Amino acid sequence: MKFGRWIGWLCCWLLSAGIAFAQIQISEVVQNVGRISKEETPVIHEFIVKNQGVTPLNIQKVIPDCSCSTASFTQTPIAPGKSGSIKVVFAPYKLGPFQKIFTVHITDPQPRTFTLKLEGYIAPSPATPEASFPYISGVLRFRHKNLNFGSITGQAVVSKRFEMYNAGNDTIVFTNRIETPTHIRVYFDSSLVIPPGKIGSIVVTYDPKLKKSAGFFQENVALFTKNAAQPRVEVNMIANIVPSAGEMLFSEESKSAPAGMPRTGSGTINPDLGPRMQLSETVQTLGDIYLNVGLVTEFVIYNEGGKPLEVLDIKPFPGCEIISEKQFSLAPQEFAVIQVRFIHNGTLGKQIRRFVIKSNDEQQPEQMLEMQVNVIAGTK
């Protein structure tokens, strides 16, 4: 029979010369939870600890082997013949097999330690619309928070296809009314109608010649529907327009910083100015999410300085995961998108997840960013 399964109570006899001590029984020292889908996480298990001795048993602390795990335990002394518990929570950050070790410190009355193990296998979640289209706008869901055109030259007209999923119970019917800047055009790829549970798409073209500006831009287009519940749908675009090699298509005064980012100069690239890290925002309030629904969001980082900005590391705190590159370089006026995944810890209510960007910006070498969410019960 596999070691660690329930085989009655495993007795741990703790010997101590000349001192009365507790004899403890543990439900299991190794718990294998088997194969678990990513959508079923976090992994939660409770170990039962019974005091079989004649003196009180105190659990002083439980130390997980990594920041992806937490533990809570009975805080009061466990009297002889009584039981307490150690509840462990593991928030997986990658697929595949796992083994998490928890070091338990007790006194009975002498200090002692032993270890508990939680192991299993995290399998990929089934392909669901919620996983494929994680960004929510009313009854519509999108693959990405922004339609990212990346860096484009001043002469190239760029087209992107943008998909949306109807998660509601009613058919979404778009009208021909579309509000866009003059340099952006939107076309429906096939139909103005998206039935429930179906995917529709638009094609967006971006003409930097008509924009007549260089730099980073965040802009919105508005689509309109015949549905009273969601008459207006906004789609956010981001693009970094750079002149073609050897050409200056726009005046230096027309260069733009990312929308919402404070400017510190006139718009010209000063080669004597060091790297300057600017961010689209440092706090995102993301509203309500269901306990079983994953969430990925994006932050935009921009180099407003005159020398390359080196992002040395992006360090997440427990409860979030960086799924984009953690180390990269940005030339002056270049931008990148940082993607962050919120990891559930099994609890409801308002929660905050934070991460730190470390760079070679001498004025601001470290920048703390955070996500604010409210986890609610139920399923979606």
Side-chain angles (χ1 to χ4, degrees):
M1 184 176 294
K2 183 177 177 63
F3 175 76
R5 295 290 189 182
W6 281 81
I7 53 174
W9 289 88
L10 174 66
C11 295
C12 298
W13 296 87
L14 305 179
L15 301 178
S16 178
I19 299 176
F21 57 90
Q23 175 188 324
I24 65 172
Q25 293 179 335
I26 307 172
S27 54
E28 64 277 314
V29 292
V30 178
Q31 175 63 25
N32 190 313
V33 297
R35 187 181 180 91
I36 293 180
S37 172
K38 185 71 166 66
E39 67 180 2
E40 297 178 281
T41 59
V43 182
I44 302 174
H45 181 70
E46 188 172 35
F47 295 90
I48 304 300
V49 179
K50 185 174 183 180
N51 184 356
Q52 290 283 83
V54 296
T55 61
L57 170 66
N58 290 275
I59 303 176
Q60 300 293 344
K61 58 184 176 179
V62 181
I63 302 177
D65 65 352
C66 79
S67 61
C68 58
S69 302
T70 59
S72 57
F73 51 89
T74 301
Q75 299 288 326
T76 57
I78 303 172
K82 301 297 182 179
S83 296
S85 67
I86 299 172
K87 182 180 180 180
V88 299
V89 179
F90 167 52
Y93 54 90
K94 64 179 180 179
L95 302 177
F98 70 87
Q99 183 184 81
K100 297 300 165 184
I101 298 175
F102 301 84
T103 303
V104 182
H105 294 254
I106 66 170
T107 56
D108 65 337
Q110 294 299 310
R112 311 177 190 283
T113 63
F114 61 91
T115 59
L116 302 174
K117 293 182 181 180
L118 183 68
E119 60 186 23
Y121 186 92
I122 303 299
S125 298
T128 63
E130 289 75 17
S132 300
F133 295 84
Y135 297 97
I136 303 171
S137 175
V139 299
L140 291 173
R141 301 181 70 101
F142 300 91
R143 292 190 186 276
H144 305 284
K145 181 181 179 181
N146 302 298
L147 180 54
N148 185 0
F149 284 94
S151 294
I152 58 179
T153 67
Q155 294 182 336
V157 177
V158 179
S159 297
K160 292 279 188 177
R161 187 168 178 265
F162 195 67
E163 290 187 327
M164 59 192 97
Y165 172 78
N166 182 0
N169 298 320
D170 300 319
T171 297
I172 297 291
V173 180
F174 287 92
T175 69
N176 288 316
R177 180 187 173 190
I178 302 173
E179 292 182 357
T180 69
T182 57
H183 56 282
I184 296 177
R185 290 290 180 266
V186 178
Y187 309 91
F188 282 88
D189 193 25
S190 54
S191 172
L192 295 173
V193 177
I194 308 178
K198 298 297 182 181
I199 298 172
S201 62
I202 55 175
V203 175
V204 183
T205 64
Y206 196 108
D207 189 343
K209 278 189 173 182
L210 295 178
K211 178 67 176 176
K212 297 181 181 179
S213 296
F216 181 100
F217 298 95
Q218 292 179 313
E219 300 168 285
N220 289 330
V221 302
L223 312 176
F224 293 85
T225 80
K226 296 181 180 180
N227 298 71
Q230 192 170 4
R232 179 185 176 101
V233 179
E234 289 196 357
V235 180
N236 191 45
M237 316 282 169
I238 59 176
N240 186 38
I241 303 177
V242 296
S244 302
E247 294 185 275
M248 291 300 293
L249 299 181
F250 318 112
S251 66
E252 293 293 346
E253 287 73 18
S254 69
K255 291 183 181 294
S256 172
M261 299 186 185
R263 290 208 57 82
T264 57
S266 64
T268 60
I269 299 178
N270 181 355
D272 296 325
L273 182 67
R276 292 291 182 269
M277 175 171 58
Q278 297 289 347
L279 296 156
S280 54
E281 62 265 292
T282 56
V283 177
Q284 287 191 13
T285 302
L286 302 172
D288 295 340
I289 62 170
Y290 288 100
L291 186 61
N292 71 326
V293 174
L295 174 68
V296 176
T297 190
E298 296 176 344
F299 293 80
V300 178
I301 180 173
Y302 176 81
N303 180 10
E304 199 179 44
K307 296 184 183 300
L309 175 69
E310 303 294 337
V311 175
L312 307 175
D313 190 24
I314 304 178
K315 181 178 177 59
F317 286 76
C320 67
E321 175 189 7
I322 308 301
I323 59 177
S324 53
E325 294 293 328
K326 295 182 181 179
Q327 296 178 328
F328 51 86
S329 178
L330 296 176
Q333 297 194 352
E334 189 177 19
F335 75 95
V337 175
I338 300 171
Q339 293 184 311
V340 189
R341 175 180 287 119
F342 176 90
I343 299 176
H344 290 279
N345 61 10
T347 60
L348 302 176
K350 295 182 179 179
Q351 299 180 32
I352 294 177
R353 299 290 187 269
R354 295 186 175 94
F355 64 97
V356 173
I357 301 176
K358 298 182 179 182
S359 75
N360 65 337
D361 183 342
E362 294 182 356
Q363 292 187 353
Q364 188 176 246
E366 293 190 5
Q367 178 67 58
M368 178 83 73
L369 293 89
E370 72 177 42
M371 303 178 289
Q372 299 177 352
V373 304
N374 184 40
V375 180
I376 58 178
T379 59
K380 182 67 174 177

